[in-house]
Structures are given as C-alpha cells and as structure tokens.
C-alpha cells in the first residue's frame, strides 16, 4: 500500500496470470505470515475531511495480527488467535474482545484469516489507477462493513478500501510488505500495562 515480497512466487505468479480475485485467494492460502508499514486514510461521509494515520502491521495465519499505530496517536491492536486487545496508551485503557466478535468481515479477516470464501463473496473489478481490483462483499449482514475493495499492483498486494454502513470510507495502503515463513509467537502476545483500565464487553 512499492511493495515487494521476500518469499516465493507461487501466489504472485497467479496474480499476474489470473484476476485479482484469484490473486487474493492465493494470497490468503499461501502468505502464512508477514509484516508491512501502512498508511490509513479515513474519509468522513459527505465531507472533504480526512484523517491520516501511519504505523506497522504484522500477521501470522490463522487469525494472529498486530497493528501498531504510531502517528498521529499511538494505539495497539493485538490478536493472539483467541482474543483481541485494543490499547490506548494515552488513556492507559485496554479493551478485550473475543476474536470472533472483533474479526468477522473486516480487513483483518483478509490479512490474517484463512476462510475468505466463507466470509466474503468475491468479484473481479475493472482495473483502476494502475491496480487490479477485487470486490469482497461480506456474506454476513450483522457487521458495519458494507464492502472491501482489494487492489494488487502487478503481483503485490497494495491497497484495501473499506466502505461502512455509516458512509465512511477508509483506505489502507501498504509499503515494504515482506512475506515470511513465520513470526515468533511473542509478536502476538499482549501484556496489559501496569495500572491500565481493562474492560471486556
């Protein structure tokens, strides 16, 4: 979201030879772990206002991920495959949720999940802005995500666009994406800071 992969060409060759939907299926199947930096731009509904955040992202299938938002405000989101921790260091608040409640039909389900065909209907879209696109529509209607558009540049995962039921559009752009055979389990361990206010709705 200049993206390069450090491992293998199996799924990336498929990205070149087939549509973006097949490239996404192959990415979910073959990219077992990885890390990247990201820029997230949130577009408010019916407004030109945007909010831009940057940080680092790591994942390991199935269902383990770590988002470290760095600017403009620090925030950490960690899943160990069973629970998800949301940490706001400025307020020293931690919210804990079950993975199924927090993952669902979200970008994390594409980046770290392994059941994309179960959670989404996939449809190739016309090329745009130099990218090949696939539209991922959640099969479940209970969440706030209306659709995800996933863009590949050449053979590399580049962008995820999220449209929600409130009319808000978020764009995740990835850079320096490295596909790895594995990551240490400690990457996805969250230690609650001393004195933190912890809630588990």
């Amino acid at each position: 979201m200049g993206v390069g992969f450090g491992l293998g060409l199996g799924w990336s060759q498929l990205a070149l030879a087939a549509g973006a939907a097949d490239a996404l299926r192959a990415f979910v199947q073959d990219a077992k772990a990885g890390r990247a930096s990201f820029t997230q731009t949130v577009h408010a509904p019916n407004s030109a206002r945007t909010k831009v955040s940057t940080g680092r992202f790591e994942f390991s299938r199935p269902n383990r991920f770590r988002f470290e938002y760095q600017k403009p405000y620090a925030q950490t989101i960690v899943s160990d495959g069973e629970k998800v921790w949301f940490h706001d260091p400025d307020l020293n608040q931690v919210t804990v949720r079950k993975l199924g409640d927090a993952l669902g039909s979200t970008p994390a389900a594409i980046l770290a999940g392994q059941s994309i065909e179960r959670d989404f209907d996939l449809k190739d879209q016309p090329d745009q802005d130099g990218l090949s696109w696939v539209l991922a529509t959640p099969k479940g209607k209970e969440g706030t995500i209306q659709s995800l558009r996933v863009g590949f540049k050449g053979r590399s995962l580049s962008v995820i666009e999220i449209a929600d039921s409130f009319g808000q559009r978020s764009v995740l752009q990835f850079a320096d994406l490295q596909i790895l055979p594995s990551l240490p389990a400690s990457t996805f361990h969250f230690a609650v800071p001393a004195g933190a206010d912890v809630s588990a709705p």
Side-chain angles (χ1 to χ4, degrees), residues 8-9 11 19 21 38 41 44 54 70 73 79 82 106 109 114 136 145 157-161 177 182 186:
L9 294 176
W11 76 267
F38 68 85
T41 305
T54 59
Q70 298 166 344
Y73 307 108
S79 167
E82 296 182 359
T106 68
Q114 60 180 8
I145 301 296
L157 178 68
S158 181
V159 183
I160 297 180
E161 295 184 355
L177 180 58
S182 64
S186 59

Side-chain angles (χ1 to χ4, degrees), residues 95-113:
T95 301
V96 187
R97 299 178 63 185
K98 293 181 180 178
L99 177 67
D101 297 336
L103 191 65
S105 300
T106 68
I110 286 178
L111 293 168

Side-chain angles (χ1 to χ4, degrees), residues 17-100:
D22 285 334
L24 178 56
R25 292 185 186 100
F27 174 76
V28 171
Q29 178 179 334
D30 297 338
K32 302 303 184 185
R35 60 167 61 101
S37 58
F38 68 85
T39 299
Q40 178 176 317
T41 305
V42 178
H43 301 263
N46 304 315
S47 171
R49 291 180 302 158
T50 61
K51 177 183 177 182
V52 179
S53 305
T54 59
R56 295 285 300 170
F57 167 70
E58 295 171 291
F59 73 93
S60 179
R61 301 187 199 277
N63 300 329
R64 293 182 294 174
F65 56 86
R66 186 181 195 98
F67 280 94
E68 294 276 1
Y69 286 84
Q70 298 166 344
K71 296 180 180 180
Y73 307 108
Q75 183 183 30
T76 302
I77 305 171
V78 181
S79 167
D80 65 359
E82 296 182 359
K83 295 181 180 180
V84 182
W85 285 264
F86 301 83
H87 178 220
D88 184 329
D90 289 338
L91 300 176
N92 203 18
Q93 292 181 340
V94 176
T95 301
V96 187
R97 299 178 63 185
K98 293 181 180 178
L99 177 67

